[in-house]
C-alpha cells in the first residue's frame, strides 16, 4: 500500500501489484503499435514526389504540385534551396526531380555518374532575366556592355549611364543560385569576377525587396518575380516581354529545367510532361514564365 | 497503547533494509552515476569531435592554397575560374560587426544590469528582468527580417536624422555628467569659498555651452549624411547588439546580485553615497561576472549567422575608409551559410575546404577569447580575495 504513490520504486522492488507504471507502459506500447500501423498504411497508399532546387522554378513547381496532387492524388513536396542544392539532392538520391534554372555542369554530371545517377534534362519553360531598378530611377535602358561594366565595377555611378549623380548599389545573388550563374554567363562572361562591393542576396524575393527600397540599386530577377514595386529596364533596347524572350531577341534569357534520374517514367513522367499540357501552359503563363 | 506499539513496529520495519533491496539500490546508484557521467563526458567529447572534424576538413585547404592568400587578399571569388579565396575582407567584416555590436551592447547592457540590481525596486525588477530575457527568445530569422525589411529602408530614407537623434540621445547624458565632473574637479583646489563658487559657475556655463555646441555641430554633420545602402555594418551591429543584450544584462545582473547585501551595507555604513557604492564597491566586486557576461554577449554576436546573412549586404570588401560602418560587408558565418550549398566535395575541393577553414578560424577566435576571459576572471578573483 505504501508504494502506491511511488510506482517506480514499487516496480524496482518487484511488487507483484499492478501499478500505474505498468498501465502506462501498456498504453504507450499500444499507441506506438497503432502509430506504426497507420504510417505503414499511409506509406503504402500514397507515393510521393520530392522536388528540390531553384528558387526561380519554385513557384512553378509548387503550382504544378498542387494541381498534380488534386488531379492524380500523388503527394508532391517542393523545396527551394538553390539550383546547386537541387543537383546535389538528385545526386544523393534525396529528391526525385531537381528543379534547376541552369544546365547541370560537367562536374556535377560526372559526380552523378559516379554515384550511378543518370541526370536527364527536360526543359519546362523559358525565363527572361529582368534587370530591375528602383521605380524612381530615371534610367530606362542599358546596353549589355553597360550592365557588364556595372557588375564588374568599371561603372560605379548612375551619372555615367544617364542617371542621377549617385553611386550604384549593385545587387547579385549568392554563388548557390542558378539565376546568378545564368546572369554571369549571359552578361559578364565566364570567369570574370563581379565587383567586391556587390551586395549578395539569397533569393529572388530578397533581391526584389532590396531593389524596391533602395533608390540607387540595380539587380536581376526571374521574369516571373517582377511586379509593380520595381522598374524593369530594357537591355539593348529590348524589354523582357513574352514575345521577345520566345523569339530570342531579349539577350538575357535562359531555359528552366527539371532534372530526373534516367528517362522519366510513370508518375514522374506524368509530372515532367505537365508543361506540355494545355493546363500546364496556362499555369506557366500565369506565373510570368514563358512557354517554349 | 496497542496502537502506539504498532507504530513503533512499523517504523523499525521501515529502517531495516532487506538484502534484495540493498543490491537493487546499489545497482540503481551505479546506473544513475554512470548515466550522469556518460552524459557529461558526451558533451565534452562533442566539443572535441567538432574541433577534430572541422580541423580535418580545414587543413586540406591550407595544404592546397597556402596561408598567405586566405589571410591577406580580399578577392573572394570561390565560384570563378580560376577561383580566388582571399578572406581578409570577410574576417575583417566579422570583427567589425562584432566590435560594433559590443560598442553598443556592452555599455547599455551593463548600465541596464546596474539599474536592475541596484536602482529599481524589487517589485519592478521582478517583471523587468524576464521581459529583457524575452529578447533572447526571439528567433534570429525574425531579427533578420526586421533588419532587412524595416531597419534597412529606414536607414536609407532617414539615415541622417536617425543618426543625429541617436547621437543626441546617447551622448547628451554623458556630456552632462562630464560637464559637472570637470567643473567640479577644476575648482576643488581653490580654498577661497566665494571665488570657488564663482569659478564653478563660470566653468559650468563654459563647458555647458561647449558641449551644446559640440552636440549640435556633430548633429548637423550626421544629419547631412546620406546612407546609400541600408544593409550595412551599422544595421547588423545594431541588430546584433539587441541579440547580445539579454545575455549581457541577465548574466551581469546575476553577478551584481551575487556581490551581496553585506558589502553594499558596509559601503553605506562608511558614508558612501549610492553612486559611490555602485562605482567603487559593487562594480569592482562583480567585475569578473560582468566580464564573463560581456564575452558571452560578444560570442553571440560573432557566431550569429542568419541576421548577418540577411542584413549585412554580403559584399566581400573592406569598407572605404576602413572604419566606415555605412557600407556593406560580409562575415565568416554568412559566407559559410551562403556558400555551403554549392560547395560540395565533388565540385572543387578547395572551395569546400575553405569554408571549414573559416569555421576553424571562428572556433579558434571564440576559444581564445574564452580562455582569455577565464584567465581574467581567475586573476580578478585572486585580487579581490587577496584584499
Amino acid at each position: 500500500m505504501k508504494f502506491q504513490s511511488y510506482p517506480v520504486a514499487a516496480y524496482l522492488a518487484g511488487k507483484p501489484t499492478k501499478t500505474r507504471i505498468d498501465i502506462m507502459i501498456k498504453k504507450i506500447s499500444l499507441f506506438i503499435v497503432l502509430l506504426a500501423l497507420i504510417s505503414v498504411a499511409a506509406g503504402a497508399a500514397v507515393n510521393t514526389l520530392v522536388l528540390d532546387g531553384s528558387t526561380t522554378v519554385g513557384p512553378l513547381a509548387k503550382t504544378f504540385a498542387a494541381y498534380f496532387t488534386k488531379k492524380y492524388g500523388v503527394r508532391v513536396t517542393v523545396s527551394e534551396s538553390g539550383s546547386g542544392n537541387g543537383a546535389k539532392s538528385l545526386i544523393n538520391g534525396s529528391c526525385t526531380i531537381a528543379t534547376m534554372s541552369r544546365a547541370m555542369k560537367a562536374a556535377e554530371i560526372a559526380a552523378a555518374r559516379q554515384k550511378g545517377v543518370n541526370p536527364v534534362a527536360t526543359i519546362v519553360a523559358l525565363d527572361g532575366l529582368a534587370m530591375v531598378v528602383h521605380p524612381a530611377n530615371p534610367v530606362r535602358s542599358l546596353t549589355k556592355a553597360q550592365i557588364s561594366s556595372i557588375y564588374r565595377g568599371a561603372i560605379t555611378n548612375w551619372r555615367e549611364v544617364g542617371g542621377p549623380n549617385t553611386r550604384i548599389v549593385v545587387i547579385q545573388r549568392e554563388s548557390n543560385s542558378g539565376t546568378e550563374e545564368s546572369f554571369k554567363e549571359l552578361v559578364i562572361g565566364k570567369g570574370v569576377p563581379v565587383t567586391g562591393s556587390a551586395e549578395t542576396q539569397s533569393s529572388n524575393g530578397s533581391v526584389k525587396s532590396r531593389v524596391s527600397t533602395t533608390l540607387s540599386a540595380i539587380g536581376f530577377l526571374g521574369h516571373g518575380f517582377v511586379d509593380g514595386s520595381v522598374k524593369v529596364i530594357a537591355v539593348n533596347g529590348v524589354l523582357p516581354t513574352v514575345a521577345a524572350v520566345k523569339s530570342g531577341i531579349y539577350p538575357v534569357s535562359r531555359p528552366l529545367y527539371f532534372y530526373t534520374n534516367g528517362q522519366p517514367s510513370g508518375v514522374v513522367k506524368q509530372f515532367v510532361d505537365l508543361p506540355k499540357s494545355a493546363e500546364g501552359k496556362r499555369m506557366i503563363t500565369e506565373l510570368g514564365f514563358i512557354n517554349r | 497503547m496497542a496502537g502506539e506499539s504498532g507504530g513503533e513496529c512499523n517504523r523499525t520495519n521501515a529502517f531495516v533494509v532487506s538484502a534484495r533491496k540493498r543490491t537493487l539500490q546499489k545497482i540503481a546508484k551505479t546506473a544513475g552515476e554512470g548515466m550522469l557521467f556518460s552524459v557529461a563526458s558526451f558533451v565534452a567529447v562533442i566539443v572535441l569531435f567538432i574541433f577534430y572534424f572541422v580541423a580535418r576538413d580545414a587543413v586540406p585547404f591550407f595544404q592546397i592554397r597556402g596561408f598567405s592568400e586566405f589571410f591577406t587578399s580580399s578577392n573572394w571569388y570561390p565560384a570563378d575560374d580560376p577561383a580566388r579565396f582571399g578572406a581578409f575582407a570577410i574576417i575583417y567584416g566579422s570583427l567589425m560587426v562584432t566590435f560594433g555590436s559590443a560598442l553598443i551592447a556592452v555599455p547599455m547592457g551593463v548600465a541596464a544590469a546596474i539599474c536592475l540590481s541596484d536602482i529599481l525596486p524589487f517589485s519592478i525588477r521582478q517583471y523587468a528582468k524576464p521581459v529583457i530575457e524575452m529578447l533572447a527568445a526571439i528567433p534570429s530569422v525574425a531579427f533578420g527580417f526586421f533588419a532587412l525589411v524595416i531597419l534597412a529602408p529606414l536607414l536609407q530614407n532617414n539615415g541622417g536624422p536617425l543618426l543625429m537623434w541617436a547621437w543626441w540621445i546617447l551622448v547628451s547624458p554623458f556630456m552632462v555628467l562630464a560637464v559637472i565632473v570637470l567643473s567640479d574637479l577644476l575648482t576643488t583646489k581653490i580654498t577661497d569659498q566665494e571665488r570657488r563658487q564663482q569659478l564653478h559657475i563660470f566653468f559650468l556655463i563654459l563647458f555647458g555651452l561647449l558641449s551644446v555646441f559640440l552636440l549640435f555641430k556633430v548633429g548637423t554633420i550626421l544629419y547631412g549624411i546620406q546612407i546609400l545602402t541600408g544593409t550595412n555594418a551599422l544595421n547588423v551591429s545594431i541588430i546584433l547588439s539587441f541579440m547580445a543584450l539579454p545575455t549581457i544584462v541577465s548574466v551581469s545582473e546575476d553577478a551584481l546580485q551575487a556581490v551581496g547585501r553585506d558589502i553594499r551595507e558596509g559601503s553605506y555604513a562608511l558614508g558612501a553615497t549610492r553612486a559611490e557604492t555602485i562605482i567603487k564597491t559593487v562594480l569592482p566586486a562583480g567585475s569578473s561576472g560582468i566580464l564573463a557576461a560581456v564575452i558571452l554577449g560578444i560570442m553571440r554576436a560573432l557566431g550569429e549567422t542568419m541576421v548577418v546573412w540577411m542584413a549585412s549586404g554580403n559584399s566581400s570588401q573592406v569598407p572605404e575608409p576602413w572604419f566606415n560602418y555605412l557600407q556593406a560587408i560580409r562575415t565568416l558565418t554568412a559566407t559559410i551559410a551562403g556558400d555551403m550549398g554549392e560547395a560540395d566535395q565533388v565540385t572543387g575541393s578547395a572551395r569546400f575546404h575553405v569554408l571549414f577553414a573559416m569555421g576553424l578560424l571562428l572556433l579558434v577566435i571564440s576559444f581564445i577569447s574564452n580562455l582569455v576571459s577565464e584567465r581574467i576572471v581567475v586573476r580578478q578573483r585572486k585580487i579581490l580575495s587577496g584584499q
Side-chain angles (χ1 to χ4, degrees):
Chain A
M1 285 306 275
K2 257 190 167 179
F3 284 121
Q4 200 95 70
S5 49
Y6 301 106
V8 179
Y11 195 74
L12 283 178
K15 279 266 168 186
T17 48
K18 204 169 197 178
T19 51
R20 263 183 263 172
I21 204 130
D22 280 321
I23 300 165
M24 225 155 73
I25 286 173
K26 242 184 199 166
K27 274 184 182 168
I28 289 172
S29 48
L30 197 74
F31 180 70
I32 290 173
V33 167
L34 266 176
L35 210 70
L37 276 176
I38 288 169
S39 59
V40 165
V46 185
N47 47 8
T48 58
L49 284 177
V50 181
L51 274 71
D52 190 8
S54 165
T55 60
T56 306
V57 190
L60 196 58
K62 276 179 185 161
T63 316
F64 278 4
Y67 172 76
F68 202 68
T69 309
K70 218 162 96 190
K71 192 164 180 196
Y72 300 102
V74 178
R75 208 165 57 191
V76 186
T77 63
V78 179
S79 317
E80 302 171 30
S81 50
S83 295
N85 280 333
K88 216 155 96 178
S89 295
L90 189 72
I91 294 167
N92 295 337
S94 53
C95 74
T96 356
I97 300 172
T99 61
M100 294 182 69
S101 58
R102 59 165 169 82
M104 259 199 192
K105 294 180 205 159
E108 284 166 341
I109 291 171
R113 292 265 158 76
Q114 226 171 32
K115 288 210 171 179
V117 175
N118 176 28
V120 173
T122 312
I123 293 180
V124 189
L126 298 174
D127 186 28
L129 279 183
M131 298 305 303
V132 290
V133 295
H134 192 272
N137 194 327
V139 175
R140 285 199 183 153
S141 175
L142 292 171
T143 64
K144 207 163 126 179
Q146 278 172 329
I147 297 172
S148 169
S149 298
I150 289 172
Y151 273 85
R152 277 182 288 119
I155 294 179
T156 56
N157 198 309
W158 279 111
R159 196 180 39 187
E160 295 170 62
V161 290
N165 181 17
T166 49
R167 276 182 69 93
I168 302 175
V169 175
V170 179
I171 296 175
Q172 63 170 347
R173 292 281 304 280
E174 88 283 24
S175 63
N176 201 22
S177 150
T179 311
E180 167 87 5
E181 299 213 6
S182 312
F183 174 79
K184 270 189 175 168
E185 209 176 307
L186 292 166
V187 178
I188 313 177
K190 265 190 174 171
V192 182
V194 172
T195 170
S197 63
E199 292 185 14
T200 312
Q201 291 296 331
S202 53
S203 67
N204 279 297
S206 58
V207 169
K208 190 169 71 184
S209 100
R210 283 295 296 144
V211 172
S212 67
T213 54
T214 309
L215 267 172
S216 48
I218 185 169
F220 48 85
L221 290 177
H223 184 256
F225 289 87
V226 173
D227 59 24
S229 66
V230 290
K231 184 174 121 183
V232 180
I233 54 175
V235 182
N236 290 347
V238 184
L239 279 167
T241 57
V242 174
V245 173
K246 218 170 187 173
S247 61
I249 308 171
Y250 185 71
V252 200
S253 66
R254 37 78 189 265
L256 305 175
Y257 302 91
F258 280 161
Y259 271 92
T260 49
N261 179 10
Q263 284 299 335
S265 60
V267 188
V268 182
K269 186 166 170 52
Q270 273 178 323
F271 191 88
V272 169
D273 282 346
L274 265 185
K276 287 180 191 160
S277 68
E279 189 64 12
K281 283 189 169 143
R282 190 186 59 76
M283 287 187 280
I284 289 172
T285 318
E286 238 168 41
L287 287 167
F289 295 101
I290 291 135
N291 278 305
R292 206 157 151 247
Chain B
M1 280 305 267
E4 240 173 50
S5 75
E8 191 94 335
C9 182
N10 265 346
R11 208 181 299 155
T12 45
N13 262 351
F15 277 107
V16 173
V17 184
S18 71
R20 185 174 167 228
K21 254 189 205 164
R22 214 181 300 147
T23 40
L24 265 173
Q25 277 175 351
K26 228 181 213 170
I27 292 169
K29 179 175 174 260
T30 332
E33 279 178 354
M35 201 183 72
L36 287 179
F37 175 75
S38 58
V39 168
S41 48
F42 183 61
V43 174
V45 166
I46 283 178
V47 174
L48 288 180
F49 265 7
I50 288 175
F51 240 107
Y52 169 71
F53 281 109
V54 170
R56 196 191 61 172
D57 274 322
V59 168
F61 172 75
F62 295 116
Q63 281 172 346
I64 301 168
R65 311 282 305 198
F67 286 95
S68 70
E69 188 197 26
F70 184 74
F71 287 108
T72 57
S73 156
S74 290
N75 291 320
W76 177 252
Y77 299 111
D80 284 6
D81 195 23
R84 280 186 283 174
F85 300 101
F88 175 72
I90 297 173
I91 298 167
Y92 183 79
S94 258
L95 297 180
M96 193 172 170
V97 292
T98 307
F99 178 75
S101 61
L103 209 63
I104 303 170
V106 170
M108 261 169 86
V110 174
I114 291 170
C115 182
L116 280 177
S117 83
D118 278 73
I119 293 167
L120 286 181
F122 182 73
S123 56
I124 296 180
R125 199 190 77 200
Q126 260 184 318
Y127 294 103
K129 203 179 174 192
V131 168
I132 291 177
E133 280 166 354
M134 282 266 271
L135 259 184
I138 298 175
S140 57
V141 67
F143 272 112
F145 194 67
F146 174 80
L148 185 66
V149 174
I150 295 168
L151 192 56
L154 201 68
L155 281 175
Q156 279 161 197
N157 301 333
N158 305 304
L162 221 70
L163 285 178
M164 184 187 72
W165 280 107
W167 164 257
W168 281 353
I169 291 168
L170 291 178
V171 176
S172 39
F174 289 100
M175 285 278 193
V176 171
L177 258 179
V179 166
I180 293 169
V181 170
L182 251 180
S183 42
D184 236 21
L185 279 178
L186 282 173
T187 50
T188 41
K189 286 273 169 68
I190 297 160
T191 42
D192 184 0
Q193 196 70 12
E194 203 172 306
R195 202 176 142 60
R196 193 182 122 182
Q197 252 171 18
Q198 278 172 353
L199 256 179
H200 193 221
I201 290 169
F202 169 73
F203 276 133
L204 270 182
I205 293 171
L206 178 75
F207 289 135
L209 284 176
L210 248 173
S211 63
V212 168
F213 173 75
L214 201 68
L215 272 178
F216 274 90
K217 190 70 201 159
V218 177
T220 45
I221 292 173
L222 289 176
Y223 190 87
I225 289 177
Q226 180 68 48
I227 299 177
L228 193 68
T229 168
T231 50
N232 54 28
L234 178 69
N235 184 335
V236 175
S237 297
I238 292 171
I239 300 291
L240 286 185
S241 71
F242 288 172
M243 299 180 74
L245 260 182
T247 318
I248 295 180
V249 173
S250 176
V251 177
S252 34
E253 204 263 350
D254 286 343
L256 292 177
Q257 281 295 308
V259 167
R261 202 183 164 86
D262 47 342
I263 289 181
R264 289 187 174 84
E265 278 173 358
S267 174
Y268 288 134
L270 289 171
T273 61
R274 184 154 78 173
E276 284 168 334
T277 304
I278 291 172
I279 293 167
K280 294 190 172 161
T281 312
V282 179
L283 275 182
S287 61
S288 59
I290 291 175
L291 190 84
V294 167
I295 294 285
L296 274 178
I298 288 176
M299 286 303 104
R300 176 100 166 93
L302 180 71
E304 175 51 44
T305 308
M306 202 60 213
V307 166
V308 183
W309 174 230
M310 289 170 86
S312 70
N314 298 311
S315 316
S316 169
Q317 60 172 351
V318 175
E320 192 71 36
W322 58 271
F323 51 81
N324 188 351
Y325 269 84
L326 302 178
Q327 284 187 6
I329 47 95
R330 192 181 178 106
T331 69
L332 291 168
T333 48
T335 306
I336 295 173
D339 283 0
M340 203 64 209
E342 187 79 346
D344 204 352
Q345 278 118 320
V346 293
T347 54
S349 55
R351 192 172 168 198
F352 175 75
H353 292 302
V354 71
L355 301 179
F356 280 89
M358 289 179 159
L360 186 67
L361 192 65
L362 276 173
L363 268 178
V364 167
I365 292 174
S366 61
F367 189 67
I368 288 174
S369 52
N370 260 330
L371 270 186
V372 168
S373 71
E374 198 94 335
R375 270 287 158 81
I376 296 174
V377 168
V378 168
R379 191 191 294 167
Q380 190 72 23
R381 223 169 259 160
K382 254 185 201 160
I383 291 171
L384 283 175
S385 61
Q387 283 171 351

